[in-house]
Amino acid sequence: MSRRGLVSLTTRREVRRRGGDLARAATQRLEATHDWYATLTAQERSWVGLVAQAGIANFIQWLDGKESADTRTTFGAAPRELTRTISLAQTLELARSVVDVVEEHVDELARPGDVTDLRLAVLRYSREIAFGAAQVYAHAAEQRGAWDARLESLVIDAVMRGEVDESIRTRAAALGWGEVTDIVVLVGGSPSGSDEEDPAAAVAAVHSTARRHDLPVLTGVQGARLVAVVGQCEDAASTAQLFADCFGDGDLVHGPLVGDLAEGALSAHAAVAGHVAAPGWPDRPRPVAADDLLAERAIAGDDLAQAQLVELVQTPLEEHPSLLETARTHLESPGLEATARTLIVHVNTVRYRLGRITDVIGYDLGDPHEAFTVRVALTLGAILEDPSKSLG
């Protein structure tokens, strides 16, 4: 049986006549019973009032059995921004208040024979309006998710290109990155590199990991690479380890820790260059720091890595001529004794100087990869010292 057949025309007319009173009563109920209502701005309260009035008007249409009546239109009375202002739970409280007001006035609205039928109608409407609210919020979340994904991709691109200006900061703030500091960029293979995989799944995995560890993240798939910009990091290496399973097989490189998003390009450049050059170190770990790939990056043509190597190795050793001479000699010698003979010093002196070299530049010439890094640095330094060899 239709709603029109259950509730008499007389009762429906009375409900329609009292619609304005019911809407005002619903608004007053909100003010009196819900603390969150008091925290809203005047404009936001006016939006909520529109929803309450629409709820009563829609109930009247629904009760009349009009084909055009749709409980979702109750929430269409207010701007979409309302879904960002109040939660779904609060919206359901709002709908419940509207329904409660009608239910409390059933005895006044219905003629004696319609009281039970009107109560049943109110109960049924309360279920439908709750479902309508859920649909509205689900649709808003879907639209917001698509918009946020586009916005996130835009910010990621700007960070990778080193073009973080005020407009990008504003967009990042819309994603919750207004005050985020201590940032590291991770670059690795995307698990969505094959046709069978969905890039959205890779992005979702990064976001899920970030939520689990309470870390802000921006992420996106760029070709065969997956990029993640992670904030509030205490340590770059441990952060990269947290996200390692989100990336595809192969190298995972993290840039250095930087202060904020504006400096993110420094970490991004290092991470991308490191990802390109990583195959040059056969025994590289996973994840690996871009700064541990300075020699490989320099050979691959990374100008910043070349300058950084000279600054870290050549420049400090130039302040200690004996250490610079020992480093160069040892790198060309088959062992400590050979180095000592070439320098005409005791082997213990060589050991002492090698220890001092480690203290000064942070690289241990006894480690094959670190010795290789120092060799590349000193080679670059020697080339740069002789302007007559310039290709220009």
Side-chain angles (χ1 to χ4, degrees), residues 93-363:
E93 288 178 3
L94 164 60
R96 182 71 255 178
S97 294
V98 171
V99 171
D100 285 347
V101 165
V102 177
E103 191 173 16
E104 289 173 3
H105 290 79
V106 164
D107 290 337
E108 305 170 18
L109 297 169
R111 69 178 190 176
D114 286 341
V115 171
T116 299
D117 288 340
L118 185 57
R119 288 191 187 281
L120 290 174
V122 171
L123 179 62
R124 182 179 170 189
Y125 179 74
S126 70
R127 291 197 300 267
E128 293 197 17
I129 199 172
F131 180 72
Q135 285 184 303
V136 168
Y137 271 75
H139 181 63
E142 183 178 359
Q143 288 185 318
R144 187 161 58 245
W147 170 250
D148 285 353
R150 290 193 293 271
L151 200 59
E152 185 175 20
S153 178
L154 178 66
V155 175
I156 283 281
D157 287 343
V159 171
M160 302 305 286
R161 294 195 307 268
E163 298 175 357
V164 178
D165 55 17
E166 192 58 38
S167 66
I168 294 299
R169 291 191 187 93
T170 300
R171 290 174 170 84
L175 295 170
W177 275 65
E179 302 296 331
V180 176
T181 58
D182 300 324
I183 291 167
V184 65
V185 176
L186 316 179
V187 174
S190 170
S192 58
S194 62
D195 293 338
E196 294 81 14
E197 298 289 346
D198 179 6
V203 170
V206 174
H207 279 291
S208 177
T209 299
R211 285 192 298 271
R212 195 160 59 247
H213 296 285
D214 195 25
L215 293 171
V217 70
L218 299 169
T219 186
V221 174
Q222 297 187 329
R225 291 181 186 145
L226 176 62
V227 176
V229 181
V230 189
Q232 307 304 115
C233 303
E234 294 183 0
D235 177 74
S238 59
T239 299
Q241 193 63 58
L242 292 177
F243 289 87
D245 291 341
C246 300
F247 291 79
D249 296 335
D251 295 306
L252 170 59
V253 182
H254 68 82
L257 203 62
V258 295
D260 56 24
L261 203 60
E263 298 177 356
L266 298 175
S267 188
H269 172 90
V272 171
H275 193 255
V276 170
W281 181 10
D283 296 327
R284 61 197 178 278
R286 184 184 190 274
V288 60
D291 283 351
D292 289 340
L293 292 162
L294 283 175
E296 291 78 9
R297 288 165 52 193
I299 292 172
D302 181 0
D303 292 342
L304 290 180
Q306 293 173 2
Q308 192 172 349
L309 269 180
V310 172
E311 183 180 351
L312 289 174
V313 177
Q314 174 81 11
T315 302
L317 288 180
E318 284 178 344
E319 299 178 2
H320 306 273
S322 64
L323 298 184
L324 179 58
E325 181 186 23
T326 299
R328 285 174 170 163
T329 302
H330 185 66
L331 288 170
E332 299 296 335
S333 302
L336 291 175
E337 290 78 6
T339 302
R341 286 195 300 271
T342 301
L343 295 174
I344 316 177
V345 296
H346 194 277
V347 69
N348 286 339
T349 301
V350 175
R351 289 194 181 96
Y352 170 76
R353 289 181 181 178
L354 293 179
R356 286 284 297 130
I357 288 170
T358 301
D359 293 339
V360 171
I361 64 175
Y363 288 100

Side-chain angles (χ1 to χ4, degrees), residues 1-80:
M1 186 179 295
S2 66
R3 298 186 295 276
R4 185 188 299 273
L6 286 173
V7 180
S8 69
L9 177 61
T10 302
T11 296
R12 284 186 275 122
R13 283 175 176 170
E14 181 62 17
V15 173
R16 192 179 306 111
R17 188 182 71 82
R18 296 280 301 277
D21 294 336
L22 293 172
R24 283 190 292 274
T27 302
Q28 291 170 359
R29 173 66 59 87
L30 288 172
E31 296 174 354
T33 59
H34 301 302
D35 293 338
W36 56 264
Y37 183 83
T39 66
L40 302 178
T41 65
Q43 184 181 49
E44 291 164 348
R45 285 197 295 271
S46 71
W47 291 345
V48 171
L50 287 175
V51 173
Q53 294 170 24
I56 297 297
N58 188 261
F59 173 68
I60 294 170
Q61 283 189 317
W62 180 88
L63 193 62
D64 282 340
K66 293 182 178 179
E67 296 299 327
S68 60
D70 183 348
T71 54
R72 288 173 298 179
T73 63
T74 296
F75 307 99
R80 284 186 301 177

